[in-house]
Amino acid sequence: MDEAALIRGAVGRRQFIRGAWCVGLGALGVMGRPGARGLVAIGQAEAAQDVREIVLEARQVKWELAPGRSITALAYNGRVPGPEIRFKEGERVRVVLKNALGEPTTIHWHGVDVPNPMDGMPGITQKPVPPGGTFVYEFEARPAGTRWYHTHFQGQRQMDLGLVAPLIIEPAGSDPFPFDREYTLVLDDWATGAGPALPSTREGTAGGRGEMGGMMSGMRGRGMMGGGMMGRGMGGMMGGGSQAMPAYDTMSINGKAYPATEPLRVRKGERLRLRLINASADHTHLIRLAGHQLRVTHTDGNPLVEAVAVDAVPIAPSERYDVLVAADRPGAWWLYCAQPGHAAAGEKVLFTYERREGRKPEPVTEGVGGLRLWHYTLGQGRDVLPAASGSVRSFSQTLSGGMMGSDAWTINGKQYPSTDPIAVKRGERVRVRLGNMSMEAHPMHLHGQSFAVLAVNGQRLAQPLVKDSVDVEAHMGAVDIEFAAHNPGDWFFHCHKPMHMEGGMITLVRIAG
Ligand code: C2O
Ligand code: CU
């Protein structure tokens, strides 16, 4: 699709917004966005209406990842990723999902503390929305931060095909880390069949153990993984049982693979904020901006006490990092993933200073030799979680599976729905020790509330990080988390790699209200 067609598409989408104005971010005081393209920004509500309503239509589209690389994708409002939605913290919002797909779907609001019936879990919190059907999600937008939304029906297939998008909740008060310009970058992996498969990132990195050794040698024997295992009949709810791991061959930034990625522009002297969202099914990315340090300010949208300067940020599936960049090195640079093969598979974007547009950047360097990498133990989270009032409850979960090429993944030896729920009462302080006995990392995500990361691989954090997804490294990696059970209901707690989720690595956190 060419630029003009995209812009026409964006204009056409305005009709989807009712009871609200579609405005460019300029009007919201955020500078320098490349227009309102593909963006649903919610301006002021019309007279006296205090619920913002937007409409998202899920539909099959033809999507061009790069010239000559078009795929049949599933999209929200015609775009991959879907439109960025922005709300103000505390705002009442209503999102009307219209299902124009030939199959059921739902939306999950990842990292948002929605009431349980709004969580988008087919079979648990709602019936799947049938083809031609509509579902109305209503919730208060909180907490502030870089969140995202995605399908939770047949996650492996529908997420892989594009039903993912950013959701930014702007703080009600002032932002602890001011900036002049911002970009949201959604990272994704694609199996198009058009190139050689990239190695899976198997061992994880986020805890910083082993300095990426595992990540760099993460080739997995896909050939041995063939689809011979039997489905377990989670059917419509989870996605129809087992299948071979797709051969991911293309990496995208905001739905485009280089050379189709849209350049990021800055002006010398600006403070730039990047919101990195990893929507990939299987890959941990390692984001660098050549010539610049990245100052990590938020983990999964939640602020740190102070920014942590690093050279590169590993980001596991479903994680988000916000980073600040001081634009002080005029020229042209690559922003890219340093994982072997990823930049070549499309995961790079030109980063140019104003009036330096014509320059050619230095080629990208793969790998992490000599680089200072972000890992969990470097950060100090702010204490933004609700406080617990009740007693302390402790649980332990052993993550295993995947042995001998099996696609069964377990928690305490059981596959969902046979896993034992973490059953607690509202207000209790819940501690969970996650121990990984398998040979792959598991980015574990809790619905309905964020948690504090207390310790990683036995090392206590000086000040717990606040997250909603935490990567538990392969080979005996361990993470201790804690949360106040403040949001009643049955909540999914699962590995965010859809293959592992569908293989059974899910439990419920059941909070009696
Ligand atoms: Cu990103 Cu179960 O979710
Ligand atoms: Cu997993």
Side-chain angles (χ1 to χ4, degrees), residues 58-60 74 98-105 129-133 153-154 157-158 163:
R59 176 185 289 281
Q60 183 173 302
L74 306 182
K98 292 190 166 173
N99 184 5
L101 305 169
E103 61 195 61
T105 195
V129 185
F153 183 85
Q154 297 198 342
R157 210 179 73 78
Q158 290 192 356
L163 290 176

Side-chain angles (χ1 to χ4, degrees), residues 402-443:
M403 295 309 290
M404 312 289 288
S406 153
D407 58 3
W409 295 94
T410 60
I411 296 179
N412 293 341
K414 296 177 181 168
Q415 282 172 287
Y416 185 83
S418 305
T419 46
D420 300 311
I422 291 179
V424 296
K425 289 199 208 63
R426 188 174 192 173
E428 286 181 330
R429 183 191 297 274
V430 185
R431 290 201 179 129
V432 186
R433 161 155 298 179
L434 299 160
N436 189 350
M437 298 298 286
S438 76
M439 284 152 71
E440 297 197 30
H442 302 293

Side-chain angles (χ1 to χ4, degrees), residues 448-472:
Q449 49 239 298
S450 296
F451 49 75
V453 177
L454 303 179
V456 179
N457 299 334
Q459 186 179 344
R460 268 198 96 73
L461 273 58
Q463 187 80 13
L465 292 182
V466 180
K467 299 189 94 277
D468 53 61
S469 295
V470 66
D471 201 30
V472 188

